[in-house]
Amino acid sequence: MYNQLIMTPAPNTSHQFLSVRLSAKLFNFLEETKKGVILEAPTDVYLAEMQSVVQPDVLVIMNENKGIIYDDGVHGAPDIVFEILSGNHIHDTVKKKSLYEDAGVKEYFIIDPSNKMVIMFARNSDGKFDIIYELTGKITSGILATSFDL
């Protein structure tokens, strides 16, 4: 058995519908306010001096940090990361959360597409994530200074 391509399964359609809706709202907001840019999966994000590579579902980079965007991906921590649960929840809720925390992501959102539950984490003064809220169907970002319904 040679030349095998092994990939994780594509996300389910409820994940994709939610991802498109979230991306559209963020894109429109960022276009209007000119505060930053949005990227979607598959975009490689190189963390910890390229020792870890992740592909967040949706990510936001504020204007002052656009220097981390290169042709081959993002080299450094995005300001905001959104992960929409699909498949292995431990990967997003534990492994990726730890990577994002260590890399310096400022806000991390985990969204369950089955019930639109949103868990929002933000960095505290020690550089660790604190749970800020758990809400159904609503995103509120301190960095973007806005809220919107999913």
Side-chain angles (χ1 to χ4, degrees), residues 79-116:
D79 293 291
I80 306 169
V81 170
F82 297 86
E83 290 289 358
I84 301 167
L85 296 177
S86 158
N88 185 353
H89 292 196
I90 301 269
H91 193 64
D92 291 332
T93 59
V94 177
K95 292 178 184 176
K96 280 187 172 181
K97 179 180 168 275
S98 178
L99 280 173
Y100 295 144
E101 182 179 65
D102 291 345
V105 170
K106 295 177 183 91
E107 291 182 347
Y108 179 45
F109 294 84
I110 298 174
I111 306 167
D112 186 337
S114 67
N115 59 12
K116 294 188 180 174

Side-chain angles (χ1 to χ4, degrees), residues 2-86:
Y2 297 99
N3 298 326
Q4 291 185 8
L5 176 61
I6 300 171
M7 298 174 58
T8 56
N12 62 37
T13 54
S14 61
H15 174 285
Q16 294 303 86
F17 283 129
L18 185 57
S19 181
V20 169
R21 187 170 31 258
L22 173 63
S23 295
K25 288 182 183 239
L26 285 168
F27 177 83
N28 290 334
F29 174 81
L30 292 169
E31 279 290 300
E32 182 180 311
T33 62
K34 307 290 187 220
K35 289 184 174 189
V37 296
I38 178 177
L39 292 167
E40 302 174 301
T43 299
D44 287 335
V45 176
Y46 299 91
L47 302 173
E49 298 175 12
M50 296 185 61
Q51 293 181 23
S52 298
V53 181
V54 292
Q55 290 186 345
D57 291 314
V58 179
L59 60 111
V60 172
I61 299 171
M62 304 306 283
N63 287 336
E64 58 270 20
N65 297 320
K66 280 186 178 178
I68 66 173
I69 303 171
Y70 293 86
D71 284 342
D72 67 338
V74 174
H75 292 256
D79 293 291
I80 306 169
V81 170
F82 297 86
E83 290 289 358
I84 301 167
L85 296 177
S86 158

